[in-house]
Amino acid sequence: MIGKVVVSGISILLVVGIAIGVIAAVHNKGGKEENLTAQAKAVRAICEPTTYKDVCTNSLQNATSTEPKELIKTIAMVTKQALIQAHKFTEDELVKNHAEDVKKKELEYCKKMLNFSLEDIQEFVDEFDSSDFKNLSDKFDDIWQLMTNVWVYQESCLEEIMEEDLKKSIEDGTSDAKKMTSNTLDIVADLNKILSSFGLNFNLTTNLSDHPPSRRLLDVGEPNEFPRWVSAGDRRLLAGRGGIRPDAVVAQDGSGQFRTIKAALAAYNPPKNVKTRKRYIVYIKAGVYRESVTIEKNQYNVFFYGDGAGKTIVTNNKHVFGTNLRTSETGTVTVYGRGFLAKHMSFENTAGPSGHQAVALLIQADLAVVYDCRIDGYQDTLYYNSGRQFFRNCIISGTVDFIFGMGAAVIQNSLIIVRRGNDGQKNTVTADGNSKGKNAHIGLIIQNCKIVPELRLARDAKMKSYLGRPWKQYATTIVRETELGGFIDPEGWMPWQGSSYENTCFYAEYNNRGPAARTNLRVRWKGFKVITNPVEARLYSVGPWIQGYRWLRGTRVPFNL
């Protein structure tokens, strides 16, 4: 039944062997490159880097252009159509399972994630279509991130489905959208080589391991080392220079416009044109706000600032264990809107170690900055689930996988506190969820931080703690120039139970310090590396990782530029 639904919806993806049949025919006649038609050569060049080549060629079966831009646009449009059909399939499953509360919630979340995918693939098409390759360089990081987001949203959908039969059904019913998304992402990531095969040579930054940083990240003279995508005005807000005029004031004592953060957000109705949206500044006065807050995807450029971490506190205790909640539903603060900023406040989840997954801050949005904040919890405290995210001068605490996600995140100059969990637990600071590999913009960098135990853990020599474990097949985490407390197990990293990701992950350490910084007893995984070359290490910093730019000379971060 599932197969019939998908075939009828997007047969364009499944007519194997029809598209570009001339390629096979020509190869049967001798296979000489010069005998290929211009059309066949163009399609082969576009599809060469893709994971699902037959799906790629089939998606171009009706294309007549030999121009790379038109062919790539066609691929993207077919991807969009596949996502529309995946969304319809999920809706149909929702109708069938509407009486079952747990399945209904899971499918509603899937539907939401597929909506996000559709929004981002359309934005990708619009951005790609409005540029020629000569000026695409300035937009390249953004379109690569958009396609990564489309991938992550689909992964997030599947991650929240617990019932095996339903999960298998959704996997099957949305598999063509997943394959097309994978192919489009492969094409974007390898765009330099593709264009070169067409005789077009542009210096687009596509693969961080192949292309050194080529553009600036920072403006001259900025002392706070924010990424360039943080505007000058936002840097002033975050650095505290100049008067901040809030659009909304939240105060429990009634001295503001609103008594709850939810009410302040409900009053924010941004215009539809994304490019004209201004920042929405919410000043949250000192107090303990027992709320579960969501910044929706259409609520761009929200800025929360408080009276100080530990003074302005947003708190909740939602958790997975013993409830019908999924991890994505437990966030004290959940951010879907692009351009989120936060300063001088605390986000916490007080469910405790017995609550299992219990998120304090979930950011599923691009271009987010969290500065001078506390993020406290136990398991799954900080969920960096998509987009480019930058955390600086923060305190982050937890037990199991407490910094985890599928975004591209950098945590810099921060204090990471490992807490004592329940007896028998093992602590893991990180759990990255890169399921796609180097072509996706996913991974975590911890730079110039301190990783220390809380006092209760420091007194318990039996409880083991590790830097992380690979949540997904291509988990990517780099810990560099960071002080590692002696409580970290000498092996450093531990495997994900029941997996064999040790050979495919990318875990690296560079120039760390402290009692646990010695790497001679680290795990002997194919996927683990000790970086010794500062030129290589430079690739794993704020510059190339979350924007593709360089650091400015004079940064306070101690690494060799």
Side-chain angles (χ1 to χ4, degrees):
M1 184 65 179
I2 294 169
K4 290 180 182 177
V5 172
V6 177
V7 168
S8 64
I10 45 175
S11 59
I12 188 173
L13 303 179
L14 304 176
V15 189
V16 179
I18 294 178
I20 320 304
V22 67
I23 295 177
V26 168
H27 280 285
N28 287 337
K29 293 178 182 178
K32 292 184 179 180
E33 177 71 21
E34 58 268 22
N35 290 335
L36 288 173
T37 66
Q39 168 70 16
K41 288 180 182 178
V43 169
R44 191 169 76 171
I46 295 293
C47 294
E48 178 58 32
T50 61
T51 304
Y52 305 97
K53 289 184 175 59
D54 58 336
V55 173
C56 181
T57 55
N58 290 336
S59 66
L60 293 172
Q61 62 177 319
N62 295 322
T64 57
S65 176
T66 59
E67 294 296 320
K69 182 175 178 179
E70 290 304 312
L71 292 172
I72 295 170
K73 183 181 174 183
T74 299
I75 294 279
M77 291 304 295
V78 175
T79 303
K80 179 183 175 181
Q81 289 303 312
L83 284 164
I84 289 171
Q85 291 301 320
H87 187 274
K88 183 180 183 304
F89 180 86
T90 305
E91 282 186 324
D92 292 343
E93 286 291 299
L94 188 54
V95 170
K96 285 195 296 184
N97 293 280
H98 74 279
E100 299 184 51
D101 288 343
V102 173
K103 288 183 179 180
K104 182 180 177 181
K105 281 202 309 180
E106 292 172 348
L107 288 167
E108 284 175 342
Y109 179 75
C110 274
K111 186 178 169 184
K112 183 175 187 173
M113 292 298 103
L114 288 167
N115 270 330
F116 288 178
S117 290
L118 283 166
E119 289 178 24
D120 280 14
I121 190 67
Q122 184 58 56
E123 189 174 350
F124 170 87
V125 171
D126 292 343
E127 291 289 351
F128 191 81
D129 197 35
S130 65
S131 304
D132 57 35
F133 290 123
K134 290 181 180 179
N135 62 26
L136 187 61
S137 182
D138 290 337
K139 295 183 177 180
F140 181 76
D141 296 313
D142 293 333
I143 67 169
W144 185 24
Q145 188 61 59
L146 283 167
M147 279 313 306
T148 300
N149 293 349
V150 175
W151 172 269
V152 169
Y153 294 142
Q154 292 169 76
E155 284 287 281
S156 298
C157 155
L158 293 171
E159 190 62 36
E160 292 293 78
I161 300 176
M162 297 293 106
E163 204 271 324
E164 288 301 320
D165 288 343
L166 180 60
K167 190 166 193 166
K168 180 66 165 57
S169 176
I170 296 299
E171 282 179 337
D172 291 346
T174 63
S175 64
D176 291 301
K178 197 75 176 292
K179 289 175 182 178
M180 283 303 305
T181 301
S182 174
N183 281 349
T184 309
L185 192 48
D186 292 337
I187 289 167
V188 172
D190 221 20
L191 197 51
N192 270 336
K193 291 181 181 177
I194 291 173
L195 295 181
S196 179
S197 69
F198 283 87
L200 302 171
N201 295 303
F202 301 102
N203 188 25
L204 303 177
T205 304
T206 56
N207 187 319
L208 296 183
S209 63
D210 295 336
H211 300 275
S214 60
R215 291 174 287 171
R216 283 185 174 180
L217 175 66
L218 305 173
D219 289 340
V220 175
E222 284 293 336
N224 288 301
E225 297 137 28
F226 296 115
R228 189 175 181 181
W229 40 260
V230 181
S231 70
D234 287 341
R235 289 181 220 180
R236 284 191 291 272
L237 290 176
L238 289 165
R241 297 193 294 276
I244 300 175
R245 296 183 180 179
D247 298 290
V249 178
V250 181
Q252 290 176 324
D253 61 6
S255 61
Q257 298 153 280
F258 307 97
R259 290 182 180 270
T260 67
I261 303 167
K262 276 186 176 180
L265 285 172
Y268 177 38
N269 296 304
K272 293 182 179 179
N273 184 353
V274 173
K275 294 181 180 179
T276 64
R277 288 177 182 163
K278 297 180 180 179
R279 186 156 296 287
Y280 185 67
I281 301 174
V282 183
Y283 169 38
I284 308 166
K285 290 188 175 182
V288 179
Y289 298 83
R290 302 185 187 282
E291 300 188 51
S292 181
V293 177
T294 299
I295 298 172
E296 299 295 349
K297 197 169 191 289
N298 70 324
Q299 293 181 311
Y300 284 70
N301 301 326
V302 171
F303 175 31
F304 283 172
Y305 77 96
D307 285 324
K311 293 182 179 179
T312 297
I313 302 169
V314 193
T315 184
N316 214 304
N317 65 350
K318 288 185 177 181
H319 58 277
V320 167
F321 186 72
T323 72
N324 286 331
L325 297 178
R326 295 293 173 255
T327 305
S328 64
E329 299 175 285
T330 64
T332 299
V333 173
T334 299
V335 181
Y336 295 125
R338 183 185 304 169
F340 173 72
L341 303 182
K343 173 188 173 183
H344 289 349
M345 58 188 299
S346 294
F347 309 90
E348 66 177 29
N349 190 311
T350 59
S354 298
H356 293 196
Q357 296 93 334
V359 178
L361 178 61
L362 190 167
I363 302 179
Q364 189 153 350
D366 197 19
L367 308 181
V369 177
V370 179
Y371 182 64
D372 273 348
C373 290
R374 283 196 69 122
I375 309 165
D376 292 316
Y378 286 84
Q379 182 171 346
D380 290 4
T381 304
L382 173 60
Y383 196 174
Y384 60 96
N385 201 33
S386 71
R388 291 159 287 186
Q389 303 181 25
F390 181 58
F391 301 82
R392 184 171 172 85
N393 292 9
C394 291
I395 298 173
I396 306 167
S397 69
T399 54
V400 179
D401 306 335
F402 66 95
I403 302 173
F404 78 112
M406 293 182 272
V410 177
I411 301 172
Q412 189 183 82
N413 289 37
S414 295
L415 179 64
I416 298 171
I417 302 173
V418 184
R419 308 174 81 168
R420 190 190 187 284
N422 290 333
D423 291 342
Q425 280 188 344
K426 294 179 181 179
N427 293 318
T428 44
V429 176
T430 69
D432 185 67
N434 188 345
S435 61
K436 172 62 178 166
K438 66 182 179 63
N439 286 350
H441 202 190
I442 299 170
L444 172 68
I445 294 168
I446 295 175
Q447 184 177 23
N448 197 37
C449 295
K450 290 184 178 181
I451 302 178
V452 301
E454 70 171 5
L455 186 59
R456 290 178 65 240
L457 178 62
R459 291 172 175 168
D460 187 351
K462 293 182 180 179
M463 184 165 284
K464 290 192 172 185
S465 298
Y466 299 84
L467 294 175
R469 58 178 180 159
W471 176 27
K472 298 292 182 180
Q473 186 176 3
Y474 301 104
T476 300
T477 302
I478 297 90
V479 179
R480 53 172 299 172
E481 299 146 327
T482 288
E483 184 176 322
L484 306 180
F487 73 106
I488 296 292
D489 191 89
E491 288 194 332
W493 309 84
M494 67 175 288
W496 190 272
Q497 186 174 359
S499 76
S500 55
Y501 300 156
E502 299 92 326
N503 292 329
T504 53
C505 67
F506 181 69
Y507 280 162
E509 297 181 46
Y510 171 71
N511 202 22
N512 292 317
R513 56 192 183 274
R518 295 182 62 184
T519 57
N520 58 311
L521 296 178
R522 287 292 193 260
V523 290
R524 303 299 181 187
W525 298 352
K526 184 178 178 181
F528 172 72
K529 181 176 185 177
V530 177
I531 297 173
T532 57
N533 187 338
V535 175
E536 180 183 359
R538 189 176 66 179
L539 297 173
Y540 306 108
S541 60
V542 169
W545 198 253
I546 56 177
Q547 192 65 28
Y549 296 164
R550 258 188 297 202
W551 281 99
L552 187 69
R553 289 178 299 171
T555 175
R556 291 196 301 263
V557 179
F559 71 92
N560 186 338
L561 185 62

